[in-house]
Amino acid sequence: FNTNSMKYFKLTFVILFTASHLFQLSYAQSSQTSKRSSWFRDARVGMIVHWGLYSIPAGVWKGKQIPWYGEWIKDRASISDTDYAKLASRFYPEKFNADEWIRTAADAGMKYFCIVTKHHDGFCLWNTKENNDWNIKSATPFKRDIVKELSDACQQHGIVYALYYSSGLDWHYPSSNWPSYKKYYYNQLKELLTNYGKIGYLWFDGEWTTQWNAKEAEELYNYVRGLDPEIMTNNPKKKGSSAFGDFGLDEENYSPPASDFKTGLWERDRLVQYNTWGYKSWEPWKKSADLIRDMIDAASLSMNFCLNVGPKADGSFPPQALAILKDFGRWLKVNGEAIYKTKGFVKNISINFDCRITQNTSNDSVWYVHVLKWPETKKSIKITTSFPITSVAALDQSILMK
């Protein structure tokens, strides 16, 4: 394949191959073919948002930059319950617009959107009836149901709505009072699954705590499936595993061994800022090209890619995050067919350069070769396959990213 007539791509470009006949691929997720998970397997790209009271200090407490994740600032800065509770009276995100958030996600090529409904600080972004002092309606001057507004916006824009919920850890209730807390959080999950439209998946967290165990995880999974038989969840026993629940998580800083990805469904979650999910005013930002390459790599492993954004306390997306999302939208508008509705672990083809390969799920004869970095000393690449190639084409010859 010669490049003399093609423009050089700094990010990547995708070559479309069409073979002369179909073949059956030995594919890692062959056991995960149920109708319930079809939307997840087709979507491939989603977005998660960490946003709450922790967005107000934005990684700074009493003039000091606090290391680790921004949403952990109460713990890492040893903030008292009294001082942390004062943040609620300051939470008035005047720039929050659910429709704008979801439209931005859709324009970036995201097929599903996940909101953190309750993180470890226990603060709830919906009008829960299970507490009257620690939710956005009762404790803040804003008094709007964020979860409801985002649900409506997702329905309007055709985006699958998903929810994160910290099940195993709650500093406010607290979760250490387990029998009482379990009843509390089960009732909250019932609220979320019955009052906010169709939910694509639930992302549980906090499974490392002492009160959590396999029995609790199994009861939780059966409980939410009883509320909605079509719901998907990550593995509530161990996030970084697909051995239970419906999918495993390849979280940034907590990636499981690569060999684990060959079994079950997976989602790779990556941050737009270094070292934080919730917005921090002082953490550096990643490059769009690196994140897009990470997405491509995930697709080549039959894995979803979920991009995390931490909005500011006023409800706006930081301009750096918007720039990254815009780059995703530009790239996926041109090359989306090589990501959406594809599968990875493609065999029967070898290439002598740095690339990733995906394959069309409905037509095994269509392969997509993602050129991550063209060899600087070569004008051509060698592609070897046992199947006759009937056509080769670049999906685009004009997109250029730095």
Side-chain angles (χ1 to χ4, degrees), residues 57-277:
V60 178
W61 192 254
K62 294 183 177 179
K64 182 181 179 182
Q65 294 180 350
I66 306 301
W68 198 236
Y69 299 152
E71 65 278 11
W72 277 76
I73 193 167
K74 183 183 188 300
D75 175 79
R76 295 307 168 105
S78 299
I79 304 173
S80 69
D81 291 344
T82 300
D83 285 344
Y84 196 79
K86 293 176 182 177
L87 294 175
S89 64
R90 296 169 52 193
F91 192 72
Y92 192 87
E94 68 275 7
K95 294 183 180 180
F96 170 73
N97 184 308
D99 186 78
E100 186 176 311
W101 276 24
I102 302 305
R103 191 163 14 93
T104 298
D107 290 346
M110 308 298 163
K111 299 301 183 182
Y112 59 97
F113 179 93
C114 181
I115 182 66
V116 172
T117 63
K118 178 186 79 110
H119 208 267
H120 307 326
D121 63 358
F123 185 78
C124 302
L125 290 185
W126 79 98
N127 186 23
T128 177
K129 302 300 187 292
E130 287 301 308
N131 68 51
N132 59 11
D133 68 338
W134 202 231
N135 65 78
I136 195 164
K137 289 280 284 189
S138 301
T140 80
F142 195 59
K143 299 188 181 303
R144 285 163 52 185
D145 191 325
I146 297 296
V147 176
K148 177 64 167 64
E149 292 184 28
L150 288 170
S151 173
D152 293 343
C154 281
Q155 291 183 42
Q156 181 178 349
H157 290 278
I159 299 294
V160 175
Y161 194 35
L163 306 176
Y164 165 109
Y165 183 93
S166 177
S167 49
L169 182 60
D170 189 317
W171 298 320
H172 182 80
Y173 189 82
S175 54
S176 56
N177 183 9
W178 190 256
S180 176
Y181 171 70
K182 183 176 180 178
K183 180 180 178 181
Y184 164 78
Y185 96 80
Y186 267 43
N187 288 340
Q188 285 199 327
L189 289 174
K190 185 175 182 180
E191 288 179 344
L192 291 171
L193 290 181
T194 56
N195 298 330
Y196 294 93
K198 184 66 177 174
I199 306 301
Y201 74 53
L202 285 170
W203 174 348
F204 295 122
D205 200 0
E207 84 283 1
W208 66 87
T209 55
T210 56
Q211 61 267 21
W212 199 255
N213 54 50
K215 180 176 179 292
E216 292 289 348
E218 291 169 5
E219 288 181 1
L220 172 60
Y221 183 75
N222 291 332
Y223 174 68
V224 298
R225 288 292 306 278
L227 292 172
D228 182 359
E230 299 302 311
I231 194 76
M232 294 180 65
T233 82
N234 66 317
N235 184 349
K237 290 184 179 180
K238 182 181 179 182
K239 287 187 295 182
S241 167
S242 63
F244 186 74
D246 298 302
F247 62 95
L249 295 176
D250 173 22
E251 283 189 278
E252 184 153 336
N253 299 322
Y254 296 99
S255 290
S259 57
D260 289 2
F261 301 146
K262 295 182 179 180
T263 304
L265 296 176
W266 287 88
E267 178 185 88
R268 173 174 292 175
D269 299 280
R270 293 296 183 262
L271 317 176
V272 293
Q273 276 188 286
Y274 287 96
N275 304 314
T276 190
W277 299 74

Side-chain angles (χ1 to χ4, degrees), residues 50 132 184 197-198 220 228 235 304 328 339 354-355 360 376:
H50 280 67
N132 59 11
Y184 164 78
K198 184 66 177 174
L220 172 60
D228 182 359
N235 184 349
N304 282 21
F328 265 80
I339 300 293
D354 187 14
C355 74
N360 190 291
E376 295 180 2

